[in-house]
Structure formats: structure tokens, C-alpha cells
Amino acid sequence: NPFNPSTSISFDIRDKGMVTLRVFDILGNEMATLVNEDLNTGSYSINFDASAYTSGVYFYELQSGSFRDVKKMLLVK
């Protein structure tokens, strides 16, 4: 899933509640918080603009209630 310089991160929320979506670099440093709020049930798509970041592997973490998922993405410039 290489991207340059931005990508959309899509996700579904099954239960209304607090949702966080954060981006980390390969060393585990938090680079951006894209979502940090209460969201209603539904489908969402959040744009991540990485034009200020260097090429490489990044991870995004989605947390909602007890659910947590981490996915990898590759920024190629």
C-alpha cells in the first residue's frame, strides 16, 4: 500500500464511543493524532497528509473501546 504524499484511512465503528487514530514511525514515535474524539457508529475515512515526513514505513493504530488494531503503510517519495 505505498502512498505519496497522502492516503485515506478507512474504518468502521460498531459501538459509539471514544476513538483514537494515531500514526507512528518505525521507532514507535508518535507522529500524528488523526482522531481523538467520541464517534457515532458508522463508516469513516480520514485523510493522512504525510508531505512533511520522510519516506519509510509508518504504522497507524486504531483504538475504540476494547478494540485495537495496528496496520503498516509505506510512504514513498
Side-chain angles (χ1 to χ4, degrees):
N1 65 353
F3 70 97
N4 176 18
S6 66
T7 188
S8 288
I9 301 171
S10 299
F11 57 93
D12 296 319
I13 301 298
R14 287 199 271 180
D15 298 314
K16 179 183 175 180
M18 185 66 178
V19 175
T20 58
L21 177 61
R22 300 180 297 170
V23 177
F24 297 89
D25 67 11
I26 193 78
L27 299 175
N29 299 311
E30 185 175 333
M31 304 301 289
T33 299
L34 305 177
V35 176
N36 187 27
E37 61 186 286
D38 283 325
L39 294 180
N40 291 318
T41 301
S43 297
Y44 296 87
S45 183
I46 305 296
N47 187 56
F48 173 52
D49 180 5
S51 57
Y53 301 120
T54 59
S55 296
V57 175
Y58 293 86
F59 298 90
Y60 64 89
E61 174 192 60
L62 176 68
Q63 287 186 293
S64 176
S66 62
F67 176 82
R68 178 179 176 266
D69 194 20
V70 176
K71 302 273 186 191
K72 180 172 66 170
M73 54 188 169
L74 179 62
L75 172 60
V76 179
K77 288 192 171 183

